[in-house]
Short mmCIF file of all heavy atoms in Angstrom, two decimals:
data_model
loop_
_atom_site.label_atom_id
_atom_site.label_comp_id
_atom_site.label_asym_id
_atom_site.label_seq_id
_atom_site.Cartn_x
_atom_site.Cartn_y
_atom_site.Cartn_z
N LYS A 1 30.59 262.58 255.14
CA LYS A 1 30.42 261.59 253.96
C LYS A 1 31.59 261.88 252.95
O LYS A 1 31.58 262.79 252.32
CB LYS A 1 29.05 262.02 253.28
CG LYS A 1 27.84 261.56 254.10
CD LYS A 1 26.62 261.86 253.26
CE LYS A 1 25.34 261.57 254.16
NZ LYS A 1 24.17 261.83 253.33
N PRO A 2 32.45 260.86 252.94
CA PRO A 2 33.56 261.03 251.99
C PRO A 2 33.01 260.72 250.52
O PRO A 2 31.92 260.29 250.37
CB PRO A 2 34.46 259.90 252.31
CG PRO A 2 33.64 258.92 253.19
CD PRO A 2 32.71 259.73 253.75
N THR A 3 33.73 261.26 249.44
CA THR A 3 33.25 261.15 248.15
C THR A 3 34.03 260.04 247.30
O THR A 3 35.28 260.01 247.40
CB THR A 3 33.41 262.48 247.41
OG1 THR A 3 32.78 263.48 248.03
CG2 THR A 3 33.08 262.39 245.96
N VAL A 4 33.30 259.17 246.67
CA VAL A 4 33.94 258.23 245.79
C VAL A 4 33.93 258.94 244.42
O VAL A 4 32.93 259.24 243.85
CB VAL A 4 33.19 256.86 245.66
CG1 VAL A 4 33.71 256.05 244.55
CG2 VAL A 4 33.14 256.19 247.07
N SER A 5 35.16 259.05 243.84
CA SER A 5 35.21 259.93 242.64
C SER A 5 35.59 259.18 241.35
O SER A 5 35.48 259.65 240.32
CB SER A 5 36.35 261.07 242.86
OG SER A 5 37.57 260.42 243.05
N ASN A 6 36.05 257.88 241.59
CA ASN A 6 36.50 257.03 240.51
C ASN A 6 36.55 255.65 240.77
O ASN A 6 36.85 255.29 242.04
CB ASN A 6 37.91 257.58 239.90
CG ASN A 6 38.09 256.98 238.45
OD1 ASN A 6 37.21 256.65 237.83
ND2 ASN A 6 39.32 257.20 238.03
N ILE A 7 36.43 254.87 239.95
CA ILE A 7 36.66 253.35 239.99
C ILE A 7 37.46 253.03 238.87
O ILE A 7 36.98 253.00 237.70
CB ILE A 7 35.26 252.67 240.08
CG1 ILE A 7 34.45 252.93 241.29
CG2 ILE A 7 35.57 251.00 240.09
CD1 ILE A 7 33.18 252.28 241.39
N ARG A 8 38.74 252.28 239.12
CA ARG A 8 39.50 252.01 238.01
C ARG A 8 39.74 250.41 238.02
O ARG A 8 39.52 249.80 239.06
CB ARG A 8 40.85 252.71 238.12
CG ARG A 8 40.70 254.25 237.92
CD ARG A 8 42.11 254.90 238.09
NE ARG A 8 42.75 254.91 239.41
CZ ARG A 8 43.78 254.20 239.76
NH1 ARG A 8 44.27 253.30 238.97
NH2 ARG A 8 44.14 254.25 241.02
N PHE A 9 40.15 249.92 236.90
CA PHE A 9 40.32 248.50 236.74
C PHE A 9 41.69 248.13 236.12
O PHE A 9 42.11 248.98 235.23
CB PHE A 9 39.22 247.76 235.89
CG PHE A 9 37.92 248.13 236.47
CD1 PHE A 9 37.19 249.23 236.16
CD2 PHE A 9 37.23 247.14 237.21
CE1 PHE A 9 35.96 249.44 236.85
CE2 PHE A 9 36.02 247.25 237.76
CZ PHE A 9 35.38 248.51 237.49
N GLY A 10 42.27 247.04 236.50
CA GLY A 10 43.46 246.58 235.88
C GLY A 10 43.26 245.20 235.39
O GLY A 10 42.58 244.39 236.10
N GLU A 11 43.52 244.90 234.25
CA GLU A 11 43.25 243.56 233.61
C GLU A 11 44.54 242.70 233.40
O GLU A 11 45.49 243.23 232.86
CB GLU A 11 42.53 243.82 232.28
CG GLU A 11 41.18 244.41 232.45
CD GLU A 11 40.59 244.47 230.97
OE1 GLU A 11 40.58 243.63 230.23
OE2 GLU A 11 40.04 245.63 230.74
N HIS A 12 44.46 241.42 233.80
CA HIS A 12 45.53 240.52 233.51
C HIS A 12 44.99 239.14 232.98
O HIS A 12 43.75 239.18 232.98
CB HIS A 12 46.43 240.33 234.76
CG HIS A 12 47.04 241.60 235.39
ND1 HIS A 12 48.06 242.10 234.85
CD2 HIS A 12 46.52 242.35 236.37
CE1 HIS A 12 48.25 243.25 235.67
NE2 HIS A 12 47.36 243.43 236.49
N ALA A 13 45.80 238.26 232.63
CA ALA A 13 45.26 237.09 232.06
C ALA A 13 44.32 236.38 232.87
O ALA A 13 43.15 235.95 232.50
CB ALA A 13 46.45 236.11 231.71
N ASP A 14 44.54 236.10 234.16
CA ASP A 14 43.68 235.41 235.04
C ASP A 14 43.21 236.31 236.32
O ASP A 14 42.74 235.79 237.22
CB ASP A 14 44.35 234.17 235.48
CG ASP A 14 45.59 234.45 236.19
OD1 ASP A 14 46.11 235.52 236.09
OD2 ASP A 14 46.19 233.52 236.90
N ARG A 15 43.51 237.55 236.24
CA ARG A 15 43.11 238.41 237.31
C ARG A 15 42.62 239.74 237.06
O ARG A 15 42.82 240.26 235.79
CB ARG A 15 44.34 238.74 238.27
CG ARG A 15 44.94 237.47 239.05
CD ARG A 15 45.88 237.94 240.16
NE ARG A 15 46.25 236.77 240.94
CZ ARG A 15 46.96 236.94 242.05
NH1 ARG A 15 47.26 238.04 242.54
NH2 ARG A 15 47.29 235.80 242.71
N THR A 16 41.71 240.35 237.80
CA THR A 16 41.29 241.77 237.66
C THR A 16 41.41 242.49 238.85
O THR A 16 40.97 241.99 239.98
CB THR A 16 39.76 241.66 237.24
OG1 THR A 16 39.63 241.05 235.83
CG2 THR A 16 39.19 243.12 237.06
N ARG A 17 41.96 243.67 238.81
CA ARG A 17 42.08 244.50 239.95
C ARG A 17 41.09 245.65 239.94
O ARG A 17 40.90 246.38 238.88
CB ARG A 17 43.51 245.09 240.17
CG ARG A 17 43.62 246.29 241.08
CD ARG A 17 45.06 246.63 241.39
NE ARG A 17 45.69 245.59 242.34
CZ ARG A 17 46.87 245.71 242.90
NH1 ARG A 17 47.51 246.84 242.66
NH2 ARG A 17 47.27 244.75 243.62
N ILE A 18 40.37 245.91 241.07
CA ILE A 18 39.37 246.96 241.14
C ILE A 18 39.92 247.98 242.10
O ILE A 18 40.30 247.52 243.19
CB ILE A 18 38.11 246.45 241.74
CG1 ILE A 18 37.42 245.40 240.70
CG2 ILE A 18 37.09 247.57 241.86
CD1 ILE A 18 36.21 244.74 241.31
N VAL A 19 40.08 249.20 241.74
CA VAL A 19 40.50 250.30 242.53
C VAL A 19 39.44 251.28 242.73
O VAL A 19 39.03 251.95 241.78
CB VAL A 19 41.84 250.86 242.00
CG1 VAL A 19 42.35 252.05 242.86
CG2 VAL A 19 42.84 249.87 241.74
N ILE A 20 38.96 251.55 243.94
CA ILE A 20 37.93 252.49 244.27
C ILE A 20 38.63 253.76 245.04
O ILE A 20 39.20 253.60 246.01
CB ILE A 20 36.91 251.86 245.27
CG1 ILE A 20 36.27 250.61 244.71
CG2 ILE A 20 35.77 252.92 245.61
CD1 ILE A 20 35.51 249.80 245.66
N GLU A 21 38.51 254.88 244.41
CA GLU A 21 39.18 256.10 244.88
C GLU A 21 38.12 256.89 245.66
O GLU A 21 36.94 257.22 245.29
CB GLU A 21 39.64 257.05 243.73
CG GLU A 21 40.72 256.34 242.86
CD GLU A 21 41.31 257.21 241.83
OE1 GLU A 21 40.75 258.42 241.51
OE2 GLU A 21 42.27 256.80 241.14
N VAL A 22 38.53 257.17 246.96
CA VAL A 22 37.60 257.77 247.94
C VAL A 22 38.39 258.93 248.73
O VAL A 22 39.51 258.72 248.91
CB VAL A 22 37.03 256.73 248.91
CG1 VAL A 22 38.09 255.95 249.65
CG2 VAL A 22 36.01 257.37 249.79
N GLY A 23 37.71 259.88 249.12
CA GLY A 23 38.33 261.24 249.54
C GLY A 23 38.79 260.91 250.95
O GLY A 23 39.71 261.76 251.42
N SER A 24 38.25 260.05 251.77
CA SER A 24 38.77 259.80 253.15
C SER A 24 39.05 258.33 253.32
O SER A 24 38.61 257.49 252.56
CB SER A 24 37.79 260.20 254.14
OG SER A 24 37.45 261.58 253.97
#
């Protein structure tokens, strides 16, 4: 079972980026 340790976001005018950090 890998670990999800963080979820980060990037914001732009018409876009949003989601980054899910996982151990494996």
Side-chain angles (χ1 to χ4, degrees):
K1 291 183 184 180
T3 298
V4 174
S5 62
N6 196 18
I7 298 178
R8 296 185 286 109
F9 299 84
E11 299 180 42
H12 303 280
D14 59 348
R15 289 195 179 192
T16 293
R17 168 167 284 190
I18 301 171
V19 181
I20 304 166
E21 296 185 355
V22 60
S24 302

